[in-house]
C-alpha cells in the first residue's frame, strides 16, 4: 500500500504541464543545435541521454527512430584495436570530435588520442538501455578495463585516461557503469567508499572531495553511488544518515537550492529531491511548493524548464536540469509500481534523468535489494484523470 | 565564442596594392591577403597546404548535430589532422589557441596543448599569463582550471595563485572551481598562514557566504584543529557574534553544529543557555533546530547514564517535542512533515521503555510496497 500522499483531483485543475511542448523540445534537441552550443561538442552523448530520458518519462519515445539512434551511439564506442593495445582507453566517446571515421563495428582504429570518457560510457550505456538495446554489441570487458584505468589511489576517478580533474562525479559514473554491466570488477569499491566518506563535510552534506563545500549535486553522487553499490548502510551509520537527511531537507526553500544561502535552481529539485528519496524522506518535503516553483520555470513557447522563472531555457548549460524537472513534475502527479525484478532494472534506468555538473547526467536509481516505491509517469492515467475533471489536457 | 581575426598568430601576407580587391575575396589563393584584418581559413594558408584536413564523421544519421560555421569547422578539421599525426610543432601549438577560443570546453584540445607545451619546451610563465586571461573570461569551466593546476605543478610555483583566486572570488565569491583550486594550492604548498584572515575578510563582506564558512573549517581543521577547548570556545564565540549580526544564517549555525556534533553538543558549558537567550531576540529555524539537536544529544547521553533522573529526561523530551511543534506549525512550515516525523521518531526512541536498543528511526517510517 502506498503511504505516500496522492495528489487530489482538485489539484489537477492547477496543472499546466505542457507535455507536447516538452516533447517537441526534446525532439529538436536531438536534431540540430546552433553553433553557440559548441561547448557541448565533447558531451553530445549526455545530451542524447537527457533528451531520451525526457521522452521516455513523457512516454513519447515513439517520436524518434530507435534504430538510427542505437547505431549512432554504437559508433561512439572505443573498441579494442587488433592487438588490444588500447584496452585501458576503451569505453564510449562523447562525440565524433576526434575524427575517427564512422563505424559501428570493430576492431578499433589505432589513434594516438582516442579514448573513452567515463561520463559518456555511462550515458551511452543508459541511452542504449532506454532505447531497448540489449547491450550485446558492447565490449564489456574492454569497458571495464577502461574503467579500471581511471581510478586513482584515493578511490576517485579521472574522466579520461589522459588525465583530467578527479572527483566524486566520476565515482558515480563508474558505479553506474558497473551496475549496468552487472560487473564490479571495474572498480575498487572499498577505495571508492573511502573517498566518498572523506567527502562528507562538517555540515553533513558531501563536497566534491575532502574539505570541499557541501553541495546538492555531489551529495547526490555520493548517496546514489553507495546505493548502486549496495553499501549505503555499511558505509554510513544511522546517525550519519540522519544528519545527511537533515542537510538535504534544509535545502528546500520553495524549490531547492544546492548550497546554503544560494538561490534555488530547478536542477536541485532533482539532485536533492532524488537524494531525499533514496534516503526515504522525500515524502516529508513540501510537494506543492516544489511543484509550483518548477512549473513557474516552464517555458510555455519553447518547452523545457529554465533555471529560474523568467529566464530562458535557451541556455543549454541548463538543459539537463529541465530534463530532470520533467521527471520530478510528472513524479509529483502520478506514480506507478514496478512489479517484476527483471524489468525493474530497465524501467528504473528508463526513468533516469541525470545531471552531473557540467557534464550533466542524472541517474535516479535504487538498489534492487530494497523495496522501493518507484515513481514512473503514467501519462495516460494522468490524462484520463485530468479529462475526467473537465479540464482540458494541453 | 568570438572569432579570431588578425590576432591569430599566423603571419599574414599583405598585397602592395592597398585597394580593396573585391574579387580577391572569392579567390583566396596562395600569396595574398588584401585586407590585413580579414581572417584566412587554414585551408587557404600556404603553410598548411601539406596537411589534409579531417572532417568530423557522424555517419548517415547524426544526432544532436551542432551546426558549425565554416570558420569553426575549418579550425577543427585541421586540429583533427594534427591530432591524427600527433604532430608536435609550433604551428600545432598556435592552432590550439584558435581551437580553444572557439570551444574552451574541448578537453582533447587542452590535453594536446599540454603535450606540446612539454614537447616544445614552451615558456610556462607565458602560459600562466595565457591561462589567467582565459579563466578570467570563463571562470566556470573545468578544463581551464585543470590546465592551470598542471602548469603550476610543472613550474612548482604557487606564488601567483592566492592573489589570482582572490581576484576571481571578487567577481563571484562562491565560485566552486576557484575554492577548490584554492584548497589544492594551500594544501599542496602549505600556504596556511594568511588564510584565516582572508576568510574573515570575506565573512565581513558577506557573513552568509557558505563557501567562506567552509574554508574557515578547512583552515582550522588543518592547522590548530578543534581539539583545543580554547579554540572551540573562540569559534563558538565567533559564531554567536555572527549570528547576532545576521540571525537568519544557516551557514553560521551549520558551522556551530558541525564543530560540536561529535564533541557533545549538550555538554558545552553554558552553550545551551546562550542559545536559549538568543531564542528570545534572534530566533530562526536554524536556532530551533540546533536546540532540538542539543536536546536529542542530551537524551542519547542520558540513556547511557544509569543514574539519570527520569524526570529530567521527560522534561528534555518534552522540550524537544515542543520545538518540533513550533517548527512544524510556525517557524519552518515548509518542513512541517519532516519536523513532525522527527518528533514521532524521538518519541519512539525515548518514551519510557526506550533502551540502548534504538530502533532504526527511518525504518519505522518507511512506506510499504505492495
Amino acid at each position: 500500500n502506498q503511504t505516500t500522499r496522492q495528489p487530489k483531483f482538485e489539484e489537477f485543475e492547477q496543472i499546466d504541464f505542457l507535455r507536447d511542448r516538452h516533447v517537441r523540445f526534446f525532439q529538436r534537441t536531438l536534431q540540430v543545435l546552433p553553433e553557440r552550443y559548441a561547448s557541448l561538442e565533447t558531451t553530445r552523448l549526455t545530451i542524447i541521454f537527457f533528451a531520451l530520458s525526457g521522452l521516455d518519462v513523457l512516454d513519447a519515445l515513439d517520436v524518434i527512430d530507435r534504430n538510427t539512434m542505437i547505431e549512432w551511439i554504437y559508433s561512439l564506442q572505443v573498441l579494442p584495436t587488433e592487438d588490444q593495445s588500447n584496452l585501458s582507453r576503451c569505453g564510449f566517446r562523447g562525440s565524433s570530435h576526434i575524427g575517427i571515421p564512422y563505424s559501428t563495428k570493430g576492431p578499433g582504429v589505432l589513434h594516438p588520442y582516442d579514448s573513452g570518457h567515463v561520463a559518456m560510457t555511462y550515458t551511452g550505456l543508459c541511452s542504449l538501455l532506454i532505447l531497448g538495446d540489449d547491450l550485446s554489441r558492447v565490449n564489456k570487458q574492454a569497458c571495464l578495463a577502461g574503467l579500471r584505468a581511471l581510478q586513482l589511489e584515493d578511490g576517485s576517478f579521472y574522466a579520461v585516461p589522459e588525465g583530467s580533474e578527479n572527483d566524486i562525479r566520476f565515482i558515480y559514473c563508474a558505479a553506474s557503469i558497473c551496475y549496468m554491466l552487472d560487473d564490479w570488477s571495474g572498480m575498487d569499491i572499498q577505495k571508492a567508499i573511502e573517498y566518498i566518506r572523506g567527502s562528507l563535510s562538517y555540515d553533513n552534506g558531501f563536497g566534491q572531495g575532502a574539505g570541499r563545500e557541501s553541495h546538492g549535486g555531489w551529495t547526490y553522487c555520493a548517496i546514489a553511488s553507495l546505493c548502486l553499490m549496495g553499501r549505503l548502510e555499511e558505509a554510513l551509520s544511522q546517525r550519519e544518515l540522519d544528519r545527511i537527511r537533515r542537510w538535504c531537507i534544509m535545502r528546500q526553500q520553495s524549490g531547492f537550492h544546492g548550497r546554503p544561502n544560494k538561490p534555488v535552481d530547478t536542477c536541485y529539485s532533482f539532485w536533492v529531491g532524488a537524494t531525499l528519496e533514496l534516503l526515504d524522506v522525500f515524502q516529508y518535503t513540501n510537494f506543492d511548493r516544489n511543484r509550483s516553483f518548477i512549473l513557474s520555470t516552464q517555458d510555455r513557447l519553447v518547452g523545457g524548464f529554465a533555471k529560474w522563472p523568467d529566464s530562458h531555457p535557451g541556455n543549454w548549460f541548463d538543459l539537463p536540469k529541465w530534463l530532470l524537472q520533467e521527471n520530478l513534475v510528472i513524479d509529483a502527479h502520478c506514480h506507478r509500481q514496478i512489479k517484476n525484478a527483471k524489468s525493474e532494472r530497465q524501467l528504473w534506468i528508463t526513468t533516469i534523468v541525470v545531471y552531473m555538473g557540467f557534464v550533466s547526467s542524472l541517474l535516479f536509481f535504487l538498489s534492487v535489494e530494497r523495496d522501493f516505491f518507484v515513481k514512473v509517469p503514467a501519462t495516460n492515467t494522468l490524462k484520463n484523470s485530468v479529462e475526467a475533471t473537465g479540464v482540458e489536457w494541453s | 565564442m568570438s572569432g579570431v581575426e588578425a590576432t591569430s598568430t599566423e603571419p599574414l601576407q599583405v598585397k602592395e596594392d592597398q585597394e580593396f580587391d573585391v574579387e580577391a575575396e572569392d579567390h583566396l589563393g596562395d600569396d595574398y591577403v588584401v585586407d590585413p584584418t580579414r581572417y584566412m581559413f587554414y585551408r587557404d594558408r600556404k603553410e598548411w597546404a601539406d596537411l589534409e584536413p579531417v572532417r568530423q564523421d557522424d555517419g548517415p544519421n547524426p544526432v544532436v548535430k551542432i551546426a558549425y560555421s565554416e570558420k569553426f569547422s575549418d579550425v577543427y578539421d585541421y586540429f583533427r589532422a594534427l591530432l591524427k599525426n600527433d604532430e608536435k610543432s609550433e604551428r600545432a601549438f598556435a592552432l590550439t589557441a584558435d581551437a580553444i577560443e572557439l570551444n574552451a570546453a574541448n578537453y582533447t584540445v587542452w590535453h594536446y596543448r599540454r603535450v606540446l607545451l612539454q614537447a616544445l619546451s614552451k615558456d610556462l610563465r607565458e602560459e600562466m599569463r595565457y591561462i589567467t586571461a582565459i579563466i578570467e573570461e570563463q571562470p566556470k569551466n573545468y578544463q581551464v582550471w585543470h590546465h592551470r593546476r598542471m602548469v603550476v605543478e610543472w613550474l612548482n610555483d604557487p606564488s601567483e595563485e592566492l592573489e589570482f583566486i582572490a581576484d576571481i572570488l571578487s567577481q563571484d565569491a562562491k565560485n566552486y572551481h576557484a575554492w577548490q583550486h584554492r584548497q589544492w594550492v594551500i594544501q599542496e604548498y602549505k600556504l596556511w598562514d594568511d588564510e584565516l584572515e582572508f576568510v574573515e575578510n570575506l565573512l565581513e563582506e558577506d557573513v552568509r557566504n557558505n563557501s567562506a564558512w567552509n574554508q574557515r573549517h578547512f583552515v582550522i581543521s588543518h592547522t590548530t584543529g578543534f581539539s583545543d577547548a580554547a579554540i572551540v570556545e573562540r569559534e563558538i564565540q565567533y559564531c554567536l557574534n555572527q549570528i547576532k549580526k545576521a540571525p537568519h544564517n544557516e551557514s553560521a549555525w551549520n558551522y556551530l553544529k558541525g564543530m560540536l556534533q561529535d564533541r557533545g553538543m549538550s555538554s558545552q558549558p553554558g552553550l545551551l543557555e546562550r542559545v536559549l537567550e538568543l531564542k528570545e531576540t534572534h530566533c530562526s529555524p536554524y536556532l530551533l533546530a540546533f536546540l532540538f539537536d542539543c536536546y536529542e544529544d542530551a537524551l542519547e547521553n542520558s540513556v547511557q547514564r544509569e543514574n539519570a533522573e527520569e524526570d529530567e529526561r521527560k522534561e528534555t523530551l518534552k522540550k524537544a517535542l515542543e520545538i518540533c511543534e513550533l517548527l512544524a506549525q510556525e517557524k519552518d512550515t515548509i518542513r512541517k512533515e519532516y519536523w513532525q516525523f522527527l518528533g514521532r521518531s524521538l518519541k519512539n526512541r525515548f518514551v519510557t521503555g526506550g533502551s540502548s536498543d534504538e530502533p532504526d528511526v527511518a525504518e519505522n517510517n518507511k512506506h510499504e510496497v505492495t
Side-chain angles (χ1 to χ4, degrees):
Chain A
N1 293 314
Q2 307 171 6
T3 55
T4 311
R5 191 180 76 84
Q6 282 281 27
K8 304 187 185 56
F9 273 17
E10 309 86 85
E11 293 173 82
F12 286 158
E13 287 176 357
Q14 284 139 45
I15 293 170
D16 193 13
F17 179 67
L18 305 167
R19 177 191 180 274
D20 287 348
R21 287 271 153 74
H22 297 310
V23 169
R24 286 200 290 278
F25 179 76
F26 292 134
Q27 271 181 294
R28 284 198 309 275
T29 306
L30 289 167
Q31 289 157 8
V32 181
L33 302 180
E35 184 178 288
R36 66 178 181 278
Y37 299 120
S39 63
L40 298 178
E41 174 63 46
T42 55
T43 60
R44 281 162 61 198
L45 188 46
T46 65
I47 307 299
I48 276 91
F49 174 65
F50 295 132
L52 290 177
S53 305
L55 287 172
D56 190 36
V57 156
L58 295 173
D59 208 15
L61 278 174
D62 54 315
V63 307
I64 51 125
D65 180 340
R66 289 176 193 243
N67 289 329
T68 301
M69 283 218 185
I70 289 172
E71 291 308 300
W72 187 83
I73 295 170
Y74 272 117
S75 79
L76 297 174
Q77 185 172 194
V78 178
L79 288 162
T81 51
E82 293 224 26
D83 63 358
Q84 310 245 317
S85 57
N86 69 335
L87 280 183
S88 64
R89 290 160 59 191
C90 290
F92 281 73
R93 308 175 192 99
S95 79
S96 54
H97 72 276
I98 299 273
I100 304 286
Y102 180 90
S103 168
T104 57
K105 305 195 225 333
V109 169
L110 194 58
H111 187 294
Y113 292 94
D114 188 30
S115 59
H117 182 297
V118 77
M120 309 306 145
T121 304
Y122 156 52
T123 49
L125 292 174
C126 249
S127 299
L128 287 170
L129 288 168
I130 292 172
L131 292 166
D133 186 74
D134 61 0
L135 304 187
S136 55
R137 288 190 276 166
V138 173
N139 187 324
K140 300 184 172 75
Q141 291 313 311
C143 280
L144 293 165
L147 190 55
R148 279 192 293 274
L150 298 174
Q151 191 168 20
L152 283 84
E153 260 312 295
D154 68 3
S156 68
F157 281 75
Y158 288 129
V160 291
E162 300 82 70
S164 70
E165 69 278 12
N166 59 291
D167 56 58
I168 207 167
R169 293 171 293 156
F170 307 133
I171 294 181
Y172 172 69
C173 293
S176 303
I177 291 165
C178 288
Y179 191 100
M180 284 186 279
L181 297 181
D182 198 13
D183 188 331
W184 292 90
S185 69
M187 63 190 286
D188 182 324
I189 291 181
Q190 205 43 56
K191 288 203 178 129
I193 290 177
E194 278 161 32
Y195 188 91
I196 291 172
R197 281 197 57 84
S199 305
L200 184 57
S201 166
Y202 65 87
D203 70 358
N204 306 308
F206 287 87
Q208 214 171 17
R212 300 180 205 167
E213 188 184 2
S214 57
H215 180 289
W218 321 140
T219 301
Y220 172 82
C221 288
I223 298 294
S225 295
L226 293 174
C227 287
L228 285 166
M229 294 173 198
R231 305 285 185 102
L232 182 70
E233 270 144 28
E234 177 192 311
L236 296 165
S237 70
Q238 281 308 316
R239 184 191 305 274
E240 283 170 328
L241 287 170
D242 283 339
R243 288 172 178 173
I244 293 163
R245 287 178 179 108
R246 172 79 63 84
W247 185 88
C248 291
I249 211 153
M250 294 304 291
R251 295 312 115 234
Q252 184 168 23
Q253 310 297 299
S254 52
F256 288 76
H257 63 194
R259 295 181 261 172
N261 289 319
K262 289 273 279 179
V264 286
D265 181 324
T266 47
C267 73
Y268 297 109
S269 288
F270 181 83
W271 294 119
V272 180
T275 309
L276 287 165
E277 175 61 24
L278 289 170
L279 296 173
D280 285 319
V281 290
F282 181 71
Q283 59 186 305
Y284 303 121
T285 61
N286 187 311
F287 293 177
D288 287 338
R289 304 270 315 262
N290 190 22
R291 180 169 53 227
S292 299
F293 173 73
I294 295 170
L295 285 174
S296 74
T297 68
Q298 182 176 223
D299 187 306
R300 308 183 64 81
L301 286 177
V302 171
F305 294 84
K307 232 164 127 77
W308 305 298
D310 297 331
S311 77
H312 190 56
N315 178 0
W316 283 79
F317 182 93
D318 301 315
L319 172 61
K321 302 171 187 171
W322 314 329
L323 299 170
L324 303 188
Q325 302 339 304
E326 307 295 343
N327 192 2
L328 259 296
V329 171
I330 294 160
D331 181 54
H333 296 312
C334 43
H335 317 281
R336 185 171 60 144
Q337 267 178 272
I338 306 301
K339 294 206 160 93
N340 91 51
K342 184 174 191 254
S343 69
E344 178 176 353
R345 174 195 288 218
Q346 270 203 309
L347 209 44
W348 266 116
I349 292 167
T350 60
T351 62
I352 289 168
V353 187
V354 179
Y355 179 71
M356 186 174 70
F358 281 76
V359 182
S360 304
S361 220
L362 179 61
L363 178 62
F364 195 120
F365 216 115
L366 299 175
S367 159
V368 289
E369 285 100 29
R370 306 171 79 173
D371 288 341
F372 275 117
F373 186 59
V374 176
K375 292 166 191 166
V376 165
T379 42
N380 285 332
T381 311
L382 173 59
K383 186 174 179 203
N384 293 338
S385 308
V386 167
E387 284 174 348
T389 65
V391 175
E392 202 187 291
W393 176 262
S394 71
Chain B
M1 320 280 171
S2 63
V4 173
E5 306 307 330
T7 50
S8 159
T9 50
E10 287 304 319
L12 298 174
Q13 296 163 34
V14 182
K15 223 176 167 179
E16 278 162 53
D17 179 355
Q18 299 287 337
E19 232 179 62
F20 185 71
D21 185 338
V22 167
E23 276 187 72
E25 263 192 274
D26 301 323
H27 301 285
L28 294 176
D30 278 338
D31 285 312
Y32 78 93
V33 163
V34 180
D35 175 354
T37 65
R38 186 181 171 77
Y39 179 78
M40 191 182 230
F41 292 132
Y42 278 82
R43 65 174 185 248
D44 297 318
R45 300 185 197 186
K46 187 172 70 167
E47 328 68 69
W48 289 85
D50 61 298
L51 203 53
E52 192 62 39
V54 175
R55 297 209 63 93
Q56 204 168 350
D57 183 2
D58 277 310
N61 298 298
V63 187
V64 186
K65 189 172 169 61
I66 300 174
Y68 292 116
S69 63
E70 241 189 314
K71 174 173 166 170
F72 197 114
S73 302
D74 175 67
V75 170
Y76 272 89
D77 287 349
Y78 277 84
F79 172 68
R80 283 183 272 274
L82 291 167
L83 216 54
K84 184 172 162 195
N85 298 333
D86 201 5
E87 181 176 313
K88 308 238 172 51
S89 65
E90 279 299 328
R91 71 174 181 178
F93 184 74
L95 185 144
T96 62
D98 280 355
I100 284 164
E101 179 147 12
L102 293 170
N103 178 9
N106 189 317
Y107 60 85
T108 308
V109 178
W110 284 107
H111 171 64
Y112 186 55
R113 188 177 173 93
R114 283 192 287 278
V115 167
L116 293 170
L117 280 168
Q118 306 220 281
L120 305 172
S121 302
K122 299 296 288 181
D123 180 346
L124 295 179
R125 299 276 167 206
E126 199 180 320
E127 189 67 4
M128 282 295 288
R129 288 192 284 276
Y130 173 72
I131 196 62
T132 295
I134 305 248
I135 295 176
E136 293 278 355
E137 285 165 31
Q138 304 186 55
K140 295 204 171 172
N141 165 319
Y142 279 95
Q143 288 72 38
V144 301
W145 286 97
H146 177 67
H147 189 76
R148 187 185 181 97
R149 174 168 157 166
M150 296 304 295
V151 178
V152 168
E153 279 181 357
W154 289 342
L155 283 170
N156 200 32
D157 176 8
S159 60
E160 293 175 26
E161 297 317 279
L162 295 182
E163 193 183 323
F164 168 70
I165 299 162
D167 183 62
I168 297 291
L169 289 174
S170 71
Q171 295 159 48
D172 173 359
K174 301 180 185 184
N175 181 325
Y176 204 92
H177 303 270
W179 281 109
Q180 191 161 302
H181 188 76
R182 196 175 182 88
Q183 287 197 349
W184 169 73
V185 165
I186 288 175
Q187 201 157 9
E188 186 72 17
Y189 297 100
K190 305 186 182 6
L191 301 172
W192 303 99
D193 291 352
D194 301 321
E195 193 63 2
L196 191 56
E197 188 188 332
F198 178 74
V199 163
E200 290 204 354
N201 290 339
L202 282 182
L203 288 174
E204 269 299 304
E205 282 172 29
D206 177 8
V207 72
R208 291 184 183 82
N209 184 336
N210 196 67
S211 308
W213 281 98
N214 181 73
Q215 191 75 346
R216 188 181 183 92
H217 193 276
F218 175 73
V219 171
I220 293 175
S221 56
H222 283 92
T223 52
T224 57
F226 288 96
S227 310
D228 184 343
I231 300 278
V232 172
E233 181 50 40
R234 181 196 78 193
E235 292 301 297
I236 290 174
Q237 202 48 57
Y238 183 81
C239 284
L240 296 179
N241 288 345
Q242 303 316 314
I243 286 161
K244 281 181 197 134
K245 287 190 222 164
H248 203 86
N249 181 2
E250 190 188 350
S251 301
W253 284 104
N254 283 356
Y255 185 91
L256 186 61
K257 175 182 161 186
M259 181 175 52
L260 299 174
Q261 67 189 359
D262 291 322
R263 294 184 169 89
M265 281 180 77
S266 57
S267 59
Q268 289 299 317
L271 179 58
L272 186 61
E273 290 69 27
R274 283 192 273 181
V275 175
L276 285 168
E277 251 179 61
L278 273 179
K279 179 165 169 277
E280 301 314 308
T281 48
H282 296 78
C283 200
S284 71
Y286 319 114
L287 182 149
L288 295 170
F290 186 87
L291 278 179
F292 174 87
D293 293 331
C294 285
Y295 294 138
E296 186 184 35
D297 186 64
L299 285 167
E300 279 172 4
N301 289 326
S302 75
V303 164
Q304 276 128 42
R305 287 200 320 265
E306 286 185 17
N307 56 351
E309 289 280 1
E310 186 60 29
D311 284 348
E312 196 184 310
R313 279 186 54 205
K314 274 192 184 154
E315 187 55 32
T316 304
L317 179 61
K318 179 165 171 277
K319 284 193 251 187
L321 293 176
E322 277 168 5
I323 298 264
C324 286
E325 261 312 281
L326 182 59
L327 282 163
Q329 301 303 342
E330 194 184 321
K331 297 289 189 182
D332 195 23
T333 57
I334 197 170
R335 270 167 282 278
K336 170 178 167 178
E337 303 291 331
Y338 174 72
W339 295 118
Q340 290 179 339
F341 158 67
L342 275 201
R344 289 193 300 274
S345 307
L346 205 69
K347 251 194 280 199
N348 286 343
R349 281 165 69 198
F350 293 112
V351 157
T352 42
S355 57
S356 54
D357 222 343
E358 289 173 15
D360 178 342
V361 162
E363 290 300 321
N364 281 346
N365 294 283
K366 210 168 18 171
H367 40 250
E368 296 294 303
V369 175
T370 53

